[in-house]
Amino acid sequence: DIQMTQSPSSLSASVGDRVTITCRASQSIRNYLNWYQQKLGKAPKLLIYAASTVQSGVPSRFSGSGSGTDFTLTISSLQPEDFATYYCQQSYGVWWTFGQGTKVEIK
Amino acid sequence: QLQLQESGPGLVRPSGTLSLTCAISNSSIGSGNWWSWVRQPPGKGLEWIGDIFHTGSTNYNPSLNGRVVLSVDKSKNQFSLNLTSLTAADTAVYFCARRRVQRKIPCMDVWGQGTMVTVSS
């Protein structure tokens, strides 16, 4: 199966900071990469699909990039409602896998 | 707009079988999408369980070693998960979701709220 590795596992940041989360696949997945945001006690929410396309209704401060094995999620100016855990997920293979998650906390 | 709602027992016995249902509202199970299950053990990350098409075609996570079966009930507009030979490691929040293809890339764009299942005697 395809392993997904995120870094860092957690980070502390302040409102207004630029935040970058990386995700690496164990083999090329082209652009079959999605990003989700999950707040405590809630279901995941799709943020980005196809590595770089922002889901309808998601603020433009969220962006994604990458292809092949290396991907990035960027929040251009962190807002209070962005403190959450973020997961990457590959949909290239028949069975899908998630990264272990990156928890974004308030500094 | 599409809504998904999971239902099932909150507590199941070890070695038993878990049965969960996901009811679909404001859309049809035969709408051309696949339908997925994902779980999350307490304090841990997300694990994809599998997905199903309205025709009954399925994909499963091989790490579950054949313990999972997904099914659809078109008359009730819902799909279900059966997980057998339960252990404490199956304790988790179980989510259902719609798998949709956008720009040729599959993703899960609508999720249920999740249901907590505890495996314990």
Side-chain angles (χ1 to χ4, degrees), chain A residues 31-103:
Chain A
N31 68 331
Y32 286 70
L33 191 283
N34 306 308
W35 289 97
Y36 300 86
Q37 175 194 65
Q38 187 181 32
K39 296 183 179 179
L40 193 63
K42 300 295 186 181
K45 172 187 174 181
L46 178 65
L47 293 178
I48 304 250
Y49 63 92
S52 61
T53 303
V54 180
Q55 175 71 350
S56 175
V58 172
S60 58
R61 62 182 179 273
F62 290 92
S63 64
S65 64
S67 67
T69 60
D70 294 312
F71 303 88
T72 299
L73 172 69
T74 299
I75 309 172
S76 59
S77 177
L78 197 66
Q79 298 302 300
E81 60 268 30
D82 301 337
F83 293 96
T85 300
Y86 294 84
Y87 295 91
C88 62
Q89 174 252 323
Q90 64 81 17
S91 58
Y92 182 78
V94 174
W95 39 88
W96 296 358
T97 47
F98 290 87
Q100 81 278 17
T102 296
K103 187 174 183 180

Side-chain angles (χ1 to χ4, degrees), chain B residues 5 10 16 18 44 47 54 62 69-71 73 78-79 81 88 92-93 98 108 110-111:
Chain B
Q5 178 66 59
L18 169 65
K44 296 187 177 181
E47 179 183 34
H54 67 88
V69 174
L70 304 186
S71 60
D73 186 333
Q78 63 187 31
F79 60 106
L81 173 151
V93 176
R98 180 177 70 176
M108 291 175 281
V110 177
W111 295 66

Side-chain angles (χ1 to χ4, degrees), chain B residues 42-61:
Chain B
K44 296 187 177 181
L46 300 166
E47 179 183 34
W48 175 80
I49 296 171
D51 49 31
I52 187 166
F53 197 56
H54 67 88
T55 58
S57 295
T58 53
N59 297 301
Y60 297 125
N61 188 328

